[in-house]
Amino acid sequence: MSTTVKIGLIGFGRIGKIHFNNIQQRIPEGEIIIVSDPVADFSGISVAVGSVDDVISHPDVEAVILCSPTDTHADYVEKAALSGKHIFCEKPLDLSLERIIRTLELVDETGVKLMLGFNRRFDANFLKIKNLVNNGDIGEPQLVKVTSRDPGPPPLSYLKESGGMFLDMTIHDFDMARYIMGKEVKQVYASAAVFWGEEIKAAEDIDTAVITLKFEDDSMAVIDNSRKAVYGYDQRLEVFGSKGMVNVDNNKPDNHFFYNEKGVHSALPLHFFLERYTESYLSEMREFISALQNDKPVSVGGEDALKATLIALAAKKSVQENRPVTIEEIKESLGISI
Amino acid sequence: MSTTVKIGLIGFGRIGKIHFNNIQQRIPEGEIIIVSDPVADFSGISVAVGSVDDVISHPDVEAVILCSPTDTHADYVEKAALSGKHIFCEKPLDLSLERIIRTLELVDETGVKLMLGFNRRFDANFLKIKNLVNNGDIGEPQLVKVTSRDPGPPPLSYLKESGGMFLDMTIHDFDMARYIMGKEVKQVYASAAVFWGEEIKAAEDIDTAVITLKFEDDSMAVIDNSRKAVYGYDQRLEVFGSKGMVNVDNNKPDNHFFYNEKGVHSALPLHFFLERYTESYLSEMREFISALQNDKPVSVGGEDALKATLIALAAKKSVQENRPVTIEEIKESLGISI
Amino acid sequence: MSTTVKIGLIGFGRIGKIHFNNIQQRIPEGEIIIVSDPVADFSGISVAVGSVDDVISHPDVEAVILCSPTDTHADYVEKAALSGKHIFCEKPLDLSLERIIRTLELVDETGVKLMLGFNRRFDANFLKIKNLVNNGDIGEPQLVKVTSRDPGPPPLSYLKESGGMFLDMTIHDFDMARYIMGKEVKQVYASAAVFWGEEIKAAEDIDTAVITLKFEDDSMAVIDNSRKAVYGYDQRLEVFGSKGMVNVDNNKPDNHFFYNEKGVHSALPLHFFLERYTESYLSEMREFISALQNDKPVSVGGEDALKATLIALAAKKSVQENRPVTIEEIKESLGISI
Amino acid sequence: MSTTVKIGLIGFGRIGKIHFNNIQQRIPEGEIIIVSDPVADFSGISVAVGSVDDVISHPDVEAVILCSPTDTHADYVEKAALSGKHIFCEKPLDLSLERIIRTLELVDETGVKLMLGFNRRFDANFLKIKNLVNNGDIGEPQLVKVTSRDPGPPPLSYLKESGGMFLDMTIHDFDMARYIMGKEVKQVYASAAVFWGEEIKAAEDIDTAVITLKFEDDSMAVIDNSRKAVYGYDQRLEVFGSKGMVNVDNNKPDNHFFYNEKGVHSALPLHFFLERYTESYLSEMREFISALQNDKPVSVGGEDALKATLIALAAKKSVQENRPVTIEEIKESLGISI
């Protein structure tokens, strides 16, 4: 690995631009040297622009970052792996579990590193919780509670390609539950509803859910989701254990409290993920580039993508059949034994 | 009804004493004139002491307050109703749904008022939430979340008589969910565990649970319970709706924040229900006595006891069979149509 | 002292009624047996009513509580002391320092106990701070900050008799500063203004002030006062020391946080002293009665009244002459050596 | 002005590096092309390095940033102004008021822009307060309270050159008080002490102070300072006005609350100014560069430096003579009429 890791970026939308700016401006150990996007405007960008193949086959490129649409992820991961490039891929890896498994097997064979973009693991609040849990301050964790609400649903076009709320939105929370607890999920029960209209129903999707996870040792997680919180982006987490409890509140743009005759007023949470997770996007990318430079394992690997997807599929089935669904059952139905 | 309502108190344990002191010292509109308890120490008490029958048949007694063991509630309610006395009864009315129904029918026939001791409805925090919901400030409520954790489990002897955690502890939360949402529950899924030892297992009880309720309009409740939070009594509530969200934190003995080199330290929540719900015990009794004086309906009636019990029984069955259970199903299994 | 301390109450206004209800309803160790007030309505009160002399000379009365107008305090204290009655007197003892001293000397000669109504010392928040300071958790206290704001100024008639803001309102804060720091004040600088109108100016009073106190060891206090905070009663305190800092926020009627599109909204502080200091009025009276029963010193004595008044007079002079004024100077100007 | 403002940086210590990194990495509208520092290590820096004269006389340099020691500021400002370079200068401009005035006159004659580094004006919390004040939400502001405490005193060598706590540390708070209130100070009273040892005494400096400012309309400010808060950097502000009050708490690294048997524990404030004011250093530099590009006035000018220094000198004199000191008096003593 060279002193500065040479990177190719595929996909220059909202997330792609975050990674681009972080690397070019704030991570001197990395450098994006070529970018690909069929529709983006590259004016003002001083790096090479090319096709996906140009990026993946570029002789100086040591790693690729995939921020293209979900349905291209698996293809590009495979191409990049076969070209010997390390990969950072936005979640989800794919909507199909079989495809995820096949892709991970191939990645495994090639020996390249693959990191998944579960950026929330790098948020200062959740890291603090993780550290308290790891240090034993909470004792044995018995319950993790995740509140995750978006300020508004994405457009119908996005919804149709998204794989549904569980695979698109809750997958972050499934990953967080596993990460914080450090245990595997054995069973899922999800209760869901549509409160925000015809478009979501038309897409056969849901916008509201409460999901209960059971871990191998009977400890639990409960996640509540909404696609629309009128007050903004709501991202809170709590862990309850045998020796204590820890929770984190939302981040706010400032700490003011304004008192007048009507009450005490304070700021709403940071509006959405770009604001809330600004620093965690930076941290995850620093960790990816550092793992490459020091030839160490990445902290969020293919197995994490796989496990979160299994939980999401179980949740989907749980809603469809209104019953708890085991992870084992999902594996068996797909003939998987991992 | 006389200017001062004359009351007989049956049961002079922890809760009985609360009601006694509240009425004698702080509610001039009521007066306890006779008390019954087979084992309590009445030294220093300046009112008459007698048997249960003495209390119920006392000619001046206009209302009785029942704080005796759970398994006596239904009997005493019936006796008091037949004697034409109004009744305030601590929860639960009974552990058997059939018995509850039979008792309520009898109460109904006699025309006396019956109020149930769901004291938490009178807590200033939960009242504030209820008012915001009723005023439409939250919009249409979509999810209510209840966190309810005790500082430690009761003794085994108590557990054995309690009917299990759902009927003993969670029943408050079931009532709260119904009360806040103003809707009826149609389905229950409960996931439970035992983390605090052999005694609880021996009693075939549980100490930890996450319960998801579905209301008639698909809105939801999620309750998380633990019999033992090492940091004390944890009683929080949140309602999420189409126009906003409200939550309440625990009450603390003081508002101090102490900063030293190790961090910022503040007070634990008020230790247990006697401290947390001091004022709500007073308010509910004021409301009961006021309802009698003004011949108005009591705010927490027999139907509330019945409905909360139905949910608790569904939760119990849900854990036993690891599946969502409808309220309809419980009713049918018991041949009830209410 | 009898088992139940027999008490005579003089003055049945706002504060008098608080003490009356606390003793009759919530302090079984005390009993008010006679009350005096030239204008109050005593209907519904089941104790004897008489003149001030009736109360003080009543053979069964062991202690008197003085809640009459300020300008009667010293007279009644002296009368009661000469009659051998213990005394609880609302602040201030008198507006004139010479009179205070003369009265305290007489009290001293008679040997009766005299407690002053600095009720805030008994507030749970301030007690918590006091305990942290006493335990050494803060290290050596270097600065105490008191914020004390009223929801609105009293009527002009009251202002005229009050002795001015420092002797009427800030005197509580002067006492609190001494109490928390456990040190004596040597110098005062006060900066004041009138923002709330002609009435206050007409009364030659002020409505806003910042007062800096210097203690004997150069540690400091800073107090900020306003007669009118539109958002209600604002009572906060902070102590900064060599090992840490502690502050307390206001008490609120509930802990709700309501989130909507406009922001996060929470409750205003408890509106005024009757709401905020409900429990501290009860605690101080319990302590007074307990001191009588157990023949122990009262915790807030005549010297505390004297010292707080000295500071108030120095503050007044400081504003008039726009310069720091020493306590020594005030003493000398009055020919006092205490 | 060119599209990208070409900048020379003088002084490459702690603050110099912050500005360097902000401009090179996060402000594309500016570019540092030459740097000067007699002792700094420039390895890894890809821009030219030269003497102070090299920087100021560099033909491409359009603006200089001065982060050199305080006693060089006035000299370099004058040199740069005479060379027609715009100037961003860290506070204080100089310790001598006469010199400040002379320098400002010269700057004025040359017509270059001069911005002072009162970075705290750009902090999101204080900006929120400023906006609420400007919008009239607070009504007429009557009192501003500033708490400003450092985690520990600077080394003796620094103290000796610093001009004393008021000119070095409190000057930020004097500026903030003027800025928030939008009014001029007419009188200062400062009470000070030394609690942290011999070194500070030896430097004839202080480490603790409470300063009361009086504005032209009798509204007030109160500032409390300590050179050493064991719990870290404490930067809070409150404004009280006729229609409301607003305060801001410290910023913390995360929002966790950890509950265990001993209490509830949360994070300490961000440790020191580099952490707390990271974003405000960036914002002020963005504003400086934007003012140059758009030929608009800078928001913090020479007059602000002058006014804050006047207040600091008055505070110094107030401590020395233990009396309130007017700004007018300081001006007169120096023969200044501004």
Side-chain angles (χ1 to χ4, degrees):
Chain A
M1 192 63 51
S2 54
T3 321
T4 304
V5 180
K6 300 286 185 302
I7 299 167
L9 173 65
I10 296 172
F12 200 66
R14 208 161 43 170
I15 304 277
K17 280 171 185 156
I18 290 174
H19 292 312
F20 183 86
N21 288 328
N22 278 339
I23 292 170
Q24 301 304 73
Q25 294 172 10
R26 302 180 74 180
I27 309 180
E29 296 79 10
E31 186 190 354
I32 291 173
I33 59 170
I34 181 166
V35 185
S36 173
D37 191 300
V39 297
D41 175 12
F42 289 108
S43 57
I45 299 300
S46 60
V47 302
V49 173
S51 68
V52 170
D53 284 336
D54 292 341
V55 171
I56 291 178
S57 62
H58 193 294
D60 292 344
V61 162
E62 296 162 299
V64 295
I65 294 175
L66 301 178
C67 305
S68 48
T70 294
D71 59 5
T72 67
H73 287 179
D75 281 353
Y76 296 170
V77 166
E78 292 178 0
K79 276 192 189 185
L82 290 170
S83 299
K85 313 296 190 189
H86 299 294
I87 305 151
F88 180 97
C89 180
E90 279 303 320
K91 59 99 229 170
L93 188 43
D94 197 82
L95 301 179
S96 145
L97 203 64
E98 296 93 328
R99 182 64 195 272
I100 292 176
I101 290 168
R102 218 166 61 221
T103 300
L104 292 183
E105 283 170 355
L106 188 145
V107 168
D108 214 43
E109 285 162 20
T110 63
V112 301
K113 292 183 204 297
L114 167 65
M115 178 157 161
L116 265 290
F118 285 123
N119 62 299
R120 293 184 196 175
R121 291 192 180 198
F122 299 87
D123 175 78
N125 288 300
F126 303 142
L127 278 174
K128 180 68 192 178
I129 289 189
K130 179 66 176 167
N131 288 337
L132 284 165
V133 169
N134 282 359
N135 290 344
D137 292 314
I138 319 287
E140 191 58 35
Q142 297 174 354
L143 176 67
V144 58
K145 295 170 64 179
V146 182
T147 293
S148 177
R149 297 168 186 158
D150 281 357
L156 184 58
S157 58
Y158 178 96
L159 284 176
K160 281 181 176 164
E161 305 293 320
S162 69
M165 193 178 79
F166 293 135
L167 276 157
D168 176 56
M169 175 178 168
T170 324
I171 200 159
H172 275 295
D173 309 313
F174 294 139
D175 180 66
M176 189 56 73
R178 281 185 66 238
Y179 169 67
I180 291 292
M181 295 294 266
K183 303 171 188 172
E184 295 305 333
V185 170
K186 67 177 177 190
Q187 183 191 280
V188 181
Y189 176 74
S191 184
V194 182
F195 290 128
W196 295 103
E198 294 309 310
E199 286 216 337
I200 290 169
K201 259 187 197 145
E204 291 184 14
D205 204 350
I206 54 174
D207 54 32
T208 304
V210 172
I211 309 111
T212 307
L213 309 180
K214 204 145 197 182
F215 293 93
E216 284 164 348
D217 66 350
D218 277 357
S219 59
M220 290 174 259
V222 61
I223 298 163
D224 70 272
N225 286 150
S226 172
R227 279 285 196 190
K228 181 166 177 180
V230 296
Y231 56 90
Y233 197 45
D234 194 348
Q235 300 276 299
R236 288 172 288 155
L237 202 145
E238 172 172 327
V239 183
F240 176 82
S242 57
K243 291 188 180 166
M245 184 267 280
V246 60
N247 58 35
V248 291
D249 203 349
N250 287 296
N251 289 354
K252 297 185 157 200
D254 61 63
N255 303 316
H256 87 278
F257 286 87
F258 171 53
Y259 293 62
N260 65 8
E261 283 168 319
K262 292 183 183 168
V264 183
H265 316 282
S266 48
L268 286 173
L270 290 171
H271 184 63
F272 206 6
F273 67 97
L274 295 178
E275 294 85 6
R276 164 67 188 258
Y277 293 118
T278 304
E279 293 303 310
S280 65
Y281 279 113
L282 180 62
S283 296
E284 69 171 358
M285 197 48 70
R286 279 200 176 118
E287 178 153 327
F288 175 61
I289 289 172
S290 168
L292 298 188
Q293 283 196 316
N294 301 296
D295 195 16
K296 291 196 172 161
V298 295
S299 64
V300 198
E303 193 182 308
D304 294 303
L306 185 66
K307 297 269 172 76
T309 306
L310 275 168
I311 302 172
L313 293 176
K316 214 165 173 175
K317 193 166 198 176
S318 175
V319 169
Q320 284 160 351
E321 306 185 1
N322 190 27
R323 62 174 182 90
V325 172
T326 63
I327 297 300
E328 200 52 38
E329 179 186 336
I330 300 293
K331 286 189 196 168
E332 280 172 16
S333 75
L334 297 166
I336 306 167
S337 61
I338 34 166
Chain B
M1 192 65 51
S2 53
T3 321
T4 304
V5 181
K6 300 287 186 299
I7 299 167
L9 174 65
I10 296 172
F12 200 65
R14 208 161 42 169
I15 305 277
K17 281 171 185 156
I18 290 174
H19 292 313
F20 182 87
N21 288 328
N22 279 338
I23 292 170
Q24 302 303 73
Q25 294 173 10
R26 303 180 72 181
I27 309 180
E29 294 80 9
E31 185 191 354
I32 291 174
I33 58 170
I34 180 166
V35 186
S36 174
D37 191 300
V39 296
D41 175 14
F42 288 109
S43 56
I45 298 300
S46 60
V47 302
V49 173
S51 68
V52 169
D53 283 336
D54 292 340
V55 171
I56 291 178
S57 62
H58 193 294
D60 293 344
V61 162
E62 295 161 299
V64 295
I65 294 175
L66 302 179
C67 305
S68 48
T70 294
D71 59 5
T72 67
H73 287 179
D75 281 353
Y76 295 171
V77 165
E78 292 179 359
K79 277 191 188 185
L82 289 170
S83 300
K85 313 296 190 188
H86 300 293
I87 305 151
F88 179 97
C89 180
E90 279 302 320
K91 58 100 231 173
L93 188 43
D94 197 82
L95 301 179
S96 147
L97 203 63
E98 295 94 328
R99 182 63 194 273
I100 292 175
I101 290 168
R102 217 166 61 223
T103 302
L104 292 182
E105 283 170 355
L106 187 144
V107 167
D108 215 41
E109 284 162 21
T110 62
V112 302
K113 291 183 204 297
L114 167 65
M115 179 158 162
L116 266 290
F118 286 123
N119 62 298
R120 294 184 195 174
R121 291 192 180 196
F122 299 87
D123 175 77
N125 288 298
F126 304 141
L127 278 174
K128 179 70 192 177
I129 288 188
K130 180 65 177 167
N131 287 338
L132 285 165
V133 169
N134 283 0
N135 291 344
D137 292 314
I138 319 287
E140 191 57 36
Q142 297 173 353
L143 176 66
V144 58
K145 295 168 66 178
V146 181
T147 292
S148 177
R149 297 167 185 158
D150 280 358
L156 183 59
S157 57
Y158 179 96
L159 284 177
K160 280 180 176 164
E161 305 292 320
S162 69
M165 192 177 80
F166 292 136
L167 275 159
D168 176 56
M169 175 178 169
T170 324
I171 199 158
H172 276 294
D173 309 312
F174 293 139
D175 180 65
M176 188 56 74
R178 281 185 66 239
Y179 169 65
I180 291 292
M181 295 294 267
K183 304 171 187 172
E184 295 304 334
V185 170
K186 66 176 178 190
Q187 184 193 277
V188 181
Y189 177 74
S191 183
V194 181
F195 291 128
W196 295 104
E198 294 308 312
E199 286 216 336
I200 290 168
K201 259 186 196 145
E204 290 184 17
D205 205 348
I206 54 173
D207 55 32
T208 304
V210 173
I211 308 110
T212 307
L213 309 181
K214 204 143 197 183
F215 293 94
E216 284 163 349
D217 65 349
D218 277 358
S219 60
M220 290 174 258
V222 61
I223 298 163
D224 71 271
N225 286 151
S226 172
R227 279 286 196 188
K228 181 167 178 179
V230 295
Y231 55 91
Y233 197 44
D234 194 348
Q235 300 276 300
R236 288 172 286 156
L237 202 145
E238 174 173 324
V239 183
F240 176 82
S242 57
K243 290 188 180 166
M245 184 266 281
V246 60
N247 58 35
V248 292
D249 203 350
N250 288 296
N251 288 354
K252 297 185 155 199
D254 61 62
N255 304 315
H256 87 278
F257 285 88
F258 171 52
Y259 293 63
N260 64 10
E261 284 168 318
K262 292 183 184 169
V264 182
H265 315 282
S266 48
L268 286 173
L270 290 171
H271 184 63
F272 205 6
F273 67 98
L274 296 178
E275 293 85 7
R276 164 67 188 256
Y277 292 117
T278 303
E279 294 303 310
S280 65
Y281 279 112
L282 180 62
S283 296
E284 70 170 358
M285 196 49 70
R286 278 199 177 119
E287 178 153 327
F288 175 62
I289 289 172
S290 168
L292 299 188
Q293 283 196 316
N294 302 296
D295 195 15
K296 291 198 173 160
V298 296
S299 63
V300 198
E303 193 182 308
D304 295 303
L306 184 67
K307 295 270 172 76
T309 306
L310 274 169
I311 302 171
L313 294 176
K316 216 165 173 175
K317 193 166 198 175
S318 176
V319 169
Q320 284 160 352
E321 306 185 1
N322 189 29
R323 63 175 181 89
V325 172
T326 63
I327 298 301
E328 201 53 39
E329 178 185 338
I330 300 292
K331 285 188 196 168
E332 279 172 15
S333 74
L334 297 165
I336 306 166
S337 59
I338 34 166
Chain C
M1 192 62 53
S2 53
T3 320
T4 304
V5 180
K6 298 288 185 300
I7 298 168
L9 173 65
I10 296 172
F12 200 65
R14 207 161 43 170
I15 305 277
K17 281 171 187 156
I18 290 174
H19 293 312
F20 183 86
N21 288 327
N22 279 338
I23 293 170
Q24 303 302 75
Q25 294 172 9
R26 303 180 72 181
I27 309 181
E29 296 79 11
E31 185 189 355
I32 291 173
I33 59 170
I34 181 167
V35 186
S36 173
D37 191 299
V39 296
D41 175 13
F42 290 109
S43 56
I45 298 301
S46 59
V47 303
V49 174
S51 69
V52 169
D53 284 337
D54 292 340
V55 171
I56 291 177
S57 63
H58 193 295
D60 293 342
V61 161
E62 296 161 300
V64 295
I65 294 175
L66 301 178
C67 306
S68 48
T70 295
D71 59 6
T72 67
H73 286 180
D75 281 352
Y76 296 170
V77 165
E78 292 178 359
K79 276 192 188 184
L82 290 170
S83 301
K85 313 297 191 189
H86 300 293
I87 305 149
F88 180 97
C89 181
E90 277 304 319
K91 60 99 229 175
L93 188 42
D94 197 81
L95 300 179
S96 146
L97 204 61
E98 296 93 327
R99 182 63 194 273
I100 292 175
I101 290 167
R102 217 166 62 221
T103 302
L104 293 183
E105 283 170 354
L106 189 144
V107 168
D108 214 41
E109 286 162 21
T110 63
V112 301
K113 292 184 204 297
L114 168 64
M115 178 157 162
L116 264 292
F118 286 123
N119 62 299
R120 293 185 195 174
R121 291 192 181 197
F122 300 86
D123 175 78
N125 288 299
F126 304 141
L127 278 174
K128 180 69 193 179
I129 289 188
K130 180 65 176 168
N131 287 337
L132 285 165
V133 170
N134 283 1
N135 290 345
D137 292 314
I138 319 288
E140 191 57 36
Q142 298 174 354
L143 176 67
V144 59
K145 296 169 65 178
V146 181
T147 292
S148 176
R149 298 169 185 156
D150 280 358
L156 184 58
S157 57
Y158 179 97
L159 284 176
K160 281 180 175 164
E161 305 293 319
S162 69
M165 194 179 79
F166 293 135
L167 276 158
D168 176 56
M169 175 179 167
T170 324
I171 200 159
H172 275 294
D173 309 312
F174 294 139
D175 180 66
M176 189 55 73
R178 280 185 67 240
Y179 168 67
I180 291 292
M181 295 295 266
K183 303 170 187 172
E184 294 304 334
V185 170
K186 66 177 178 190
Q187 183 191 279
V188 180
Y189 176 75
S191 183
V194 181
F195 291 128
W196 294 103
E198 294 309 310
E199 287 216 335
I200 290 169
K201 257 185 196 147
E204 290 184 16
D205 205 348
I206 54 174
D207 55 33
T208 304
V210 172
I211 309 110
T212 307
L213 310 180
K214 205 146 197 182
F215 293 93
E216 286 163 347
D217 65 351
D218 278 358
S219 59
M220 290 174 258
V222 62
I223 298 162
D224 71 273
N225 286 150
S226 172
R227 279 287 196 188
K228 181 166 177 179
V230 295
Y231 56 90
Y233 197 44
D234 194 348
Q235 300 276 301
R236 288 171 287 155
L237 202 146
E238 173 173 325
V239 183
F240 176 82
S242 57
K243 291 189 182 165
M245 184 266 279
V246 61
N247 59 33
V248 291
D249 203 349
N250 288 297
N251 289 355
K252 298 185 155 199
D254 62 61
N255 304 314
H256 87 278
F257 286 87
F258 171 52
Y259 293 63
N260 65 8
E261 282 168 319
K262 292 183 182 168
V264 183
H265 316 283
S266 48
L268 286 173
L270 289 171
H271 184 65
F272 206 6
F273 68 96
L274 296 178
E275 293 85 8
R276 164 66 189 257
Y277 293 118
T278 304
E279 294 302 311
S280 65
Y281 279 112
L282 179 63
S283 296
E284 71 170 359
M285 197 49 70
R286 279 200 178 118
E287 178 153 326
F288 176 61
I289 290 172
S290 169
L292 299 187
Q293 282 196 315
N294 303 296
D295 196 15
K296 292 198 172 160
V298 295
S299 63
V300 198
E303 194 183 307
D304 294 303
L306 184 68
K307 297 269 171 77
T309 305
L310 274 168
I311 303 172
L313 293 175
K316 216 164 172 174
K317 194 167 199 175
S318 175
V319 169
Q320 284 161 353
E321 306 184 3
N322 189 27
R323 64 176 180 87
V325 172
T326 63
I327 297 301
E328 201 53 40
E329 179 185 337
I330 301 292
K331 285 188 194 168
E332 280 171 16
S333 75
L334 298 165
I336 307 167
S337 60
I338 34 167
Chain D
M1 192 63 54
S2 52
T3 322
T4 303
V5 180
K6 299 287 186 300
I7 298 167
L9 173 65
I10 297 172
F12 200 65
R14 208 160 43 170
I15 304 278
K17 281 172 185 156
I18 289 174
H19 292 313
F20 183 86
N21 288 328
N22 279 339
I23 293 171
Q24 302 303 73
Q25 293 172 10
R26 304 180 72 182
I27 309 180
E29 295 79 10
E31 185 190 356
I32 290 173
I33 58 171
I34 180 167
V35 185
S36 173
D37 191 299
V39 296
D41 174 12
F42 289 109
S43 56
I45 298 301
S46 59
V47 303
V49 173
S51 69
V52 168
D53 283 337
D54 291 341
V55 171
I56 291 178
S57 63
H58 192 296
D60 293 344
V61 161
E62 296 161 299
V64 294
I65 294 175
L66 300 179
C67 305
S68 48
T70 293
D71 60 5
T72 67
H73 286 180
D75 281 353
Y76 296 170
V77 165
E78 292 179 359
K79 277 192 188 185
L82 289 171
S83 300
K85 312 297 192 190
H86 300 293
I87 304 151
F88 179 97
C89 181
E90 278 303 320
K91 58 99 232 173
L93 188 42
D94 196 82
L95 301 179
S96 148
L97 204 61
E98 297 92 328
R99 182 62 194 272
I100 292 175
I101 290 168
R102 218 165 61 221
T103 301
L104 292 183
E105 283 170 355
L106 188 144
V107 167
D108 214 40
E109 285 164 19
T110 62
V112 301
K113 293 184 203 297
L114 168 64
M115 178 159 163
L116 265 290
F118 285 123
N119 61 299
R120 294 183 195 176
R121 290 191 182 199
F122 299 88
D123 175 78
N125 288 299
F126 303 143
L127 278 174
K128 179 68 193 178
I129 288 188
K130 179 65 176 168
N131 288 338
L132 285 165
V133 170
N134 283 0
N135 290 345
D137 291 314
I138 319 287
E140 192 57 36
Q142 299 174 352
L143 176 66
V144 58
K145 296 169 66 178
V146 182
T147 293
S148 177
R149 298 167 185 157
D150 280 358
L156 183 59
S157 57
Y158 179 96
L159 284 176
K160 281 180 176 165
E161 305 293 320
S162 69
M165 193 178 79
F166 291 136
L167 275 158
D168 176 55
M169 176 178 166
T170 324
I171 200 159
H172 276 295
D173 308 312
F174 293 139
D175 180 66
M176 189 56 74
R178 281 186 66 240
Y179 169 67
I180 291 291
M181 295 295 266
K183 304 169 186 173
E184 295 305 333
V185 170
K186 67 177 178 189
Q187 182 192 280
V188 181
Y189 176 74
S191 183
V194 182
F195 292 128
W196 295 105
E198 294 308 310
E199 286 216 336
I200 290 169
K201 259 186 196 146
E204 291 184 15
D205 204 349
I206 54 173
D207 55 32
T208 304
V210 173
I211 309 111
T212 307
L213 310 180
K214 205 144 196 182
F215 293 94
E216 285 163 347
D217 65 350
D218 278 357
S219 61
M220 290 175 258
V222 61
I223 298 163
D224 71 273
N225 286 150
S226 173
R227 279 287 197 188
K228 180 166 177 179
V230 296
Y231 56 90
Y233 197 46
D234 194 348
Q235 300 277 299
R236 287 171 288 156
L237 203 146
E238 173 172 324
V239 183
F240 176 81
S242 58
K243 290 189 181 165
M245 184 265 281
V246 60
N247 58 35
V248 292
D249 203 349
N250 288 296
N251 288 355
K252 298 185 156 198
D254 61 63
N255 304 316
H256 87 278
F257 286 87
F258 171 52
Y259 294 62
N260 64 9
E261 284 167 318
K262 293 182 182 168
V264 183
H265 316 282
S266 49
L268 286 172
L270 289 171
H271 184 65
F272 206 5
F273 68 96
L274 296 179
E275 292 85 7
R276 165 66 188 256
Y277 292 118
T278 303
E279 293 302 311
S280 65
Y281 279 112
L282 179 63
S283 295
E284 71 170 358
M285 197 49 71
R286 279 200 177 118
E287 178 153 326
F288 175 62
I289 289 172
S290 169
L292 299 189
Q293 283 195 316
N294 302 295
D295 196 16
K296 292 198 172 160
V298 296
S299 63
V300 199
E303 194 182 308
D304 295 303
L306 185 67
K307 296 269 172 76
T309 306
L310 275 168
I311 303 171
L313 293 176
K316 215 165 174 175
K317 194 166 198 175
S318 175
V319 169
Q320 284 160 353
E321 306 185 1
N322 189 28
R323 63 174 181 88
V325 172
T326 63
I327 297 301
E328 201 52 41
E329 180 186 337
I330 300 293
K331 285 189 197 168
E332 279 171 16
S333 75
L334 297 166
I336 306 166
S337 60
I338 34 166

